[in-house]
Each structure stands twice: as structure tokens, then as C-alpha cells.
Amino acid sequence: MNMDEYVKVEIDGVIKEYLKGTSLLEISGEYIPKDGGDFILALVNNKLRELTKKVQKDCKLRFVTTGEDAGHKTYTRGMILVFMKAIYSIVGKENIDKVYVEYSLKEGIYCQPVMNIPVTKELADKIKLKMSSYIEKDLPFVKKTIGTDDAIELFKSYAMYDKEKLFRYRRVSKTNIYNLEGFEDYYYGYMPPNTGMLQWFDLIQKDEGLILIMPDKKKPRQLQPFVFPEKLYQTLKESNEWAQTMEIDTVGALNEAIVAGNLNELILTQEMFQEMKIGEIAAMIKESGKKLVMIAGPSSSGKTTFSHRLSIQLKTHGLVPHPIGVDDYFVERDLTPLDEDGKPNYEALEAIDTESFNRDMSALLEGKTVELPSFNFLTGHREYKGNYKTLGPHDILVIEGIHGLNDKLSYSLPKESKFKIYISALTALNIDEHNRIPTTDLRLLRRMVRDARTRGADGTKTISMWPSVRRGEEQNIFPYQEEADVMFNSALIYELAILKSYAEPVLFGVSRESEEYMEAKRMLKFLDYFLGVNSDVVPKHSILKEFIGGSCFKV
């Protein structure tokens, strides 16, 4: 036996020998996933690789499942390509102008075809049947590398002009194209090895679009009953329609506007649009006559700036707003509950002294004078420093905290007194028509930039904390979002072009040897699509200033 023909592969601390050129897919067949998912990618020496790759030298190997974030994204990507091939096959290329993959609706992704036939349940069923046939055939996803100029010509021939525009501003000379039985497309990120592993999905019609439903990461081999989030849908739909009206719905279109010198006007228009929405919410609160405004949203949504701007709008309606931070009602540090890893869980409801919060808020509603606390995050103690408050006839409490929509926080307060607002950064911008930008990516970049500026935290720390932050959101925020009276989208259509210059140095600072490098590399590749611009033109009252600095508010 010629030992030069073999390589040593370490998996789970055990070293095995494989013939050079053995595929990762073949090796994965010897192992069983531990989280109930399927192997869909591999980490080779801590670098993500598709399972079609082959081992050529000694390495350390770990397989990534569909129950993990990177694996779930890959599953989703593969399903979208299968959907694209199916809709073009059923409807015909000549009848389709565009197919937008728009936004996430819990476990579903809303897709908007622009074509000369109506979207019906019957059409959805036909496309779903065609998708199932591709999955049953276990077709391979074939990757090929072509020059950027060739990619531009290819997408032009497919009438995928958003992709053509995107690649016009790319610095790299090569790009990867995926071919599924003759249907070619570009996707940002890795692909599964074949269609056979994409067995769990559904496709339903909604209005003039289609919702592609996929498994949750927690249960990657089964579909959960899909509960349609109507308020979230309407908020996202309005944002996307506005972006399309502005003709800035993709990164290529944003880059084009920057090159044409139209960014200033775009920024002012976007900021005025947001101000108009905040004004509308203030008018709704005034009309409702409610005394408690409860504001909640996930990390880096811009809740603080929004609360300040809403307070100003409330004043224009003759109301006197008083901001209350739920964080000031944290329990004493040594009473903070612990998470599954034994670390303090500041995002659990039990981290809040709900009894004191309810006693104080109830007293204020009854017209009593209350001394409100402030929490000292350095000492871990609640402090009272003479902040007395009494509500007058026009006074209103603006309460901000991650549990604001959960009635367990304000259990003793009458429901008829609460006006609930859900805020999140729901970006309407897509990379191109088939590659959406996850809202979590925008929020992670916002948080990374703010943490580096205000807390001296490096990118490694922010990325390492993000999964825990996301788990807290899944438990404490997202389940209550549909209970809001109104939703506000804090995403700015131009902001990633601004965030780019702030986030890149932080991301480049992540060590190649760290576990967080994989995510940092992904985010750097993502930001490479954008032309960076100066932040001087961003108004001081903008939500973006909460993250990049220079806000006129105390944030």
C-alpha cells in the first residue's frame, strides 16, 4: 500500500485514514448526526466546506447539520434554488419578469413572482409537486466557477437584471454559479450536495405571492404547523413596497444610486418616511387615550432612539411622555437567574423584579407619587436618588424593555391602559432578487459597531455572545410580536453602505484561529457587495446614530 495515497482525518478526536480524493459526503455516511438533523456541510480545519469537496491532505474534520445555523441557511438556500427551477419550469421563462425572494415570516419565506399569470392555490400545488419530483430524483447541485464578466452576460440572458447590476460592482474576478439540472443561478453562500436531503418543506399561496415553509432549526426533520404572522407580514410588505417605489430594493440598485450621487436625497427621504411613521404612531396613541406605551424589540433594533423620537412626537400632540426603562427594575445581581450554561441570564423575565415594577406602575396610574429607581450596572444594585414622579392628566409613561409585550411583566396593569409597540430592523434590501438579507445580519452588524465604540468589545466577543442573545429573543420577544398594536420597522435602506466602514475593521480583528472567524469571514464577504460611503450626511436624530455615534439623544 502506498501511504502517499492516503490522508489522516481527525473526527471527534479519532484519527482515520482515507484515500486521497475521498469526498466529504462519502465520509459523512459513516457517522450519525447527534442533533436530529442531517449532515449538510463540513468544517475542515475550522473552514466551512461543501460536502462535494474531497480530502487531499491531513485535516481535522467536523460535520455541520441542518440543526445548526450554517446548516439551516444552506438547507434554505438549496430549497430556494429548487423552488426557482420549479417555478420557471411550470410557468415558463417567457411568462416571468422576476421572482423576488423577499423576507422571512417565521419558518416561511415570502416569494413574490412578477409574471403575466395570477398566483393561485392551484399554481402553488403544481410548483410544490414539481419541487417534490426534483427532490425524489436526488439531483446534484453542481458548482462551477466563471469570470465575473461571464456571470454578467449569463444573468443578462436569463433577464435577471438585479444580479447583472450586483456583479457590475464586484471587485473579485471570479464567482461561483450553481447548476441544477440545467437551471443556473447565483447564491450567496454554500449549497447542499444534492436535492435528496431537502425533503421537509411546504408551499402555500398568500395574496399575490407564495410562502416557502421549511423546518425550524430545533426540529430540522419535521415541519411545524405554520401560524401566519399577519402584522409582521403587513409591516414587511409595506417596507418592501416603499423600497420598490424608491427603486432601491437590491444592493446593486443602492450601489447605482451612490455612484449617481443620489445618496443624500435617499437618506433624507428615508429619514422623513420614518419620521412620518413615528408621527402616525403618536397620533394613534393620542387617539387611544392609553396611559402606558410598552415598547419591545430584539437587540439592536434602535429602541432607545425610537423612544426619544416617539416622545417628541407625543409632545406635539399635547402629551407629556415619561420614559421608564424596565432594566432599572433588574433584581439584585446575586439573584439573577442562570442559563443552561450556568451564566447569568439577564434576558429572562425572572431577571426583572416584576412585583416592584407592577406596584410602582399601578401607583402612578392611580395618581400617586412614586420614587422611581435606577439600576447601577457597575455595582449590581438598584438605587433610589429622589426621582419622584406623579402623573398629570396629559402625562403618559413610555416603557421600554425586551419584555414589554409580555403581559407577565405588567400582570397587574389593566390591558385597556397598554399601547404595545414592536420594533425591529426588518431590512427591505436584498442582495439580489433571489438572495435576501437576513434581518439578524443587520442587527448583528449594528451591535458589533456599537459594542466596539461604547464597550470596547471586539468582534470576537460580540459574535460569541450572539447565539445566546438570539436564544433570548426566541424565548422572550418573538412569541409576543403579534400582540403588538403596531409594528415599527427601524431598518434604513441605506445603512449597510454606512455601516461597512465601521464594521470591517472590527471583523478583520477576529483571529483566524478563533471559532468566531467563520462568521466574521461570512460577514466580510457580505459587506464586500456594498460600496462604502461617509456617515457625515446621516442626520443626528437618525436611529443609525445610536450605533455609529454622534446622536443628538442620550443613547
Side-chain angles (χ1 to χ4, degrees):
M1 182 175 72
N2 185 351
M3 295 306 294
D4 290 340
E5 294 178 359
Y6 286 81
V7 293
K8 292 179 180 179
V9 178
E10 182 184 333
I11 305 173
D12 295 334
V14 178
I15 296 174
K16 289 189 176 183
E17 288 190 346
Y18 291 96
L19 197 63
K20 265 187 190 178
T22 304
S23 74
L24 296 172
L25 182 61
E26 191 179 336
I27 298 172
S28 72
E30 299 177 14
Y31 296 86
I32 298 171
K34 295 175 183 175
D35 63 1
D38 291 295
F39 294 135
I40 196 166
L41 293 173
L43 275 169
V44 182
N45 294 332
N46 206 32
K47 293 178 182 176
L48 269 182
R49 292 289 181 261
E50 291 172 328
L51 293 183
T52 49
K53 289 281 185 183
K54 298 173 180 179
V55 289
Q56 300 293 352
K57 55 185 179 181
D58 296 352
C59 62
K60 191 173 182 179
L61 180 61
R62 181 178 85 77
F63 292 108
V64 176
T65 74
T66 49
E68 299 177 63
D69 188 58
H72 187 262
K73 285 187 171 95
T74 303
Y75 188 98
T76 302
R77 226 171 274 124
M79 284 294 344
I80 290 169
L81 181 46
V82 170
F83 165 73
M84 285 297 164
K85 178 172 169 58
I87 191 171
Y88 272 88
S89 173
I90 294 292
V91 178
K93 177 183 168 184
E94 67 282 0
N95 296 314
I96 296 176
D97 180 21
K98 282 183 183 180
V99 181
Y100 290 103
V101 178
E102 293 286 19
Y103 39 77
S104 176
L105 295 167
K106 298 172 76 175
E107 295 83 31
I109 293 178
Y110 185 76
C111 304
Q112 175 72 68
V114 180
M115 52 193 186
N116 57 19
I117 65 168
V119 175
T120 61
K121 182 185 181 300
E122 291 71 29
L123 178 63
D125 290 342
K126 281 182 185 177
I127 296 168
K128 180 182 172 182
L129 195 63
K130 180 63 78 172
M131 291 172 70
S132 295
S133 75
Y134 296 148
I135 290 165
E136 197 174 327
K137 287 180 185 176
D138 197 18
L139 301 170
F141 291 96
V142 180
K143 181 196 280 190
K144 67 175 181 178
T145 303
I146 64 174
T148 301
D149 290 341
D150 293 331
I152 291 171
E153 287 303 313
L154 174 69
F155 296 133
K156 193 174 182 179
S157 71
Y158 276 115
M160 295 178 182
Y161 301 119
D162 288 346
K163 290 181 189 287
E164 179 197 356
K165 199 179 291 181
L166 177 74
F167 277 84
R168 210 179 295 155
Y169 297 100
R170 293 219 71 191
R171 292 187 180 94
V172 294
S173 58
K174 300 282 185 183
T175 194
N176 294 320
I177 303 294
Y178 288 93
N179 185 309
L180 183 59
E181 203 180 41
F183 183 84
E184 293 179 309
D185 205 350
Y186 168 76
Y187 285 87
Y188 159 61
Y190 298 104
M191 275 287 172
N194 46 52
T195 61
M197 62 173 59
L198 306 176
Q199 296 181 36
W200 297 275
F201 80 99
D202 198 2
L203 189 72
I204 61 173
Q205 177 239 342
K206 171 64 179 177
D207 297 339
E208 62 278 8
L210 297 157
I211 301 176
L212 180 58
I213 302 168
M214 279 160 292
D216 181 276
K217 274 187 295 187
K218 295 171 190 168
K219 295 182 179 177
R221 281 176 148 242
Q222 66 182 75
L223 283 183
Q224 300 297 314
F226 183 66
V227 180
F228 187 75
E230 186 65 44
K231 289 177 183 174
L232 180 63
Y233 167 68
Q234 293 298 340
T235 304
L236 286 161
K237 187 178 179 183
E238 180 189 47
S239 297
N240 272 48
E241 286 173 352
W242 185 81
Q244 287 174 16
T245 302
M246 294 294 295
E247 297 183 336
I248 310 286
D249 53 352
T250 64
V251 176
L254 176 61
N255 288 340
E256 209 167 54
I258 292 168
V259 170
N262 298 331
L263 187 66
N264 281 16
E265 184 180 345
L266 175 64
I267 289 174
L268 291 171
T269 307
Q270 168 80 94
E271 294 290 347
M272 287 300 292
F273 178 75
Q274 276 201 349
E275 197 61 44
M276 179 186 76
K277 301 305 293 182
I278 296 171
E280 288 173 2
I281 293 170
M284 290 169 67
I285 294 167
K286 166 79 172 179
E287 192 176 335
S288 74
K290 296 179 178 181
K291 284 286 190 181
L292 299 170
V293 178
M294 317 288 290
I295 302 171
S299 174
S300 306
S301 292
K303 295 185 289 291
T304 308
T305 300
F306 172 79
S307 299
H308 282 296
R309 286 171 64 175
L310 178 65
S311 293
I312 291 169
Q313 288 283 356
L314 289 169
K315 287 176 184 176
T316 68
H317 286 275
L319 298 173
V320 183
H322 298 276
I324 303 283
V326 176
D327 286 0
D328 286 323
Y329 284 88
F330 268 132
V331 297
E332 295 292 292
R333 185 69 48 83
D334 59 348
L335 298 176
T336 303
L338 304 179
D339 64 15
E340 57 201 31
D341 298 321
K343 296 177 181 177
N345 186 357
Y346 299 112
E347 296 184 334
L349 182 62
E350 292 73 22
I352 304 295
D353 182 353
T354 54
E355 187 178 342
S356 293
F357 174 79
N358 279 270
R359 184 177 61 246
D360 287 354
M361 296 306 111
S362 295
L364 284 169
L365 287 177
E366 291 166 8
K368 296 176 182 176
T369 299
V370 175
E371 184 182 10
L372 295 173
S374 61
F375 193 83
N376 187 323
F377 288 90
L378 292 176
T379 65
H381 297 294
R382 205 180 315 156
E383 298 174 347
Y384 290 86
K385 297 180 177 180
N387 180 18
Y388 290 95
K389 202 169 288 293
T390 311
L391 292 189
H394 301 296
D395 289 9
I396 189 166
L397 295 176
V398 180
I399 300 167
E400 182 230 313
I402 67 168
H403 301 284
L405 304 185
N406 184 354
D407 283 328
K408 288 181 181 176
L409 168 71
S410 50
Y411 59 84
S412 71
L413 306 178
K415 282 192 174 184
E416 60 272 17
S417 295
K418 303 175 195 172
F419 189 96
K420 296 179 179 179
I421 302 172
Y422 175 76
I423 172 174
S424 191
L426 307 165
T427 180
L429 197 69
N430 281 354
I431 294 173
D432 59 46
E433 62 259 59
H434 301 167
N435 287 272
R436 64 192 183 87
I437 296 174
T439 58
T440 51
D441 282 359
L442 174 59
R443 292 194 293 110
L444 175 56
L445 286 168
R446 281 181 170 188
R447 179 160 178 150
M448 195 176 293
V449 168
R450 182 179 59 191
D451 283 359
R453 180 177 61 83
T454 63
R455 301 174 186 175
D458 59 16
T460 305
K461 185 174 181 182
T462 304
I463 291 171
S464 69
M465 289 172 57
W466 193 240
S468 173
V469 171
R470 296 277 291 118
R471 281 196 299 274
E473 293 168 354
E474 294 283 353
Q475 293 168 3
N476 302 311
I477 300 172
F478 298 143
Y480 306 101
Q481 62 187 16
E482 286 294 309
E483 295 178 22
D485 293 292
V486 67
M487 288 188 178
F488 177 77
N489 184 2
S490 72
L492 297 153
I493 209 163
Y494 67 83
E495 70 177 286
L496 283 160
I498 303 281
L499 285 171
K500 176 184 170 90
S501 61
Y502 290 88
E504 282 184 335
V506 183
L507 289 164
F508 276 119
V510 177
S511 168
R512 286 175 174 269
E513 281 69 48
S514 71
E515 288 184 13
E516 291 73 28
Y517 177 70
M518 182 174 67
E519 181 68 355
K521 184 182 176 185
R522 183 184 74 83
M523 297 302 283
L524 281 167
K525 184 182 175 185
F526 166 60
L527 288 171
D528 198 43
Y529 290 107
F530 294 85
L531 295 178
V533 291
N534 194 292
S535 63
D536 291 350
V537 290
V538 180
K540 288 191 174 183
H541 70 280
S542 173
I543 281 171
L544 185 54
K545 289 286 190 179
E546 183 174 326
F547 305 98
I548 65 174
S551 175
C552 60
F553 301 116
K554 188 179 177 182
V555 292

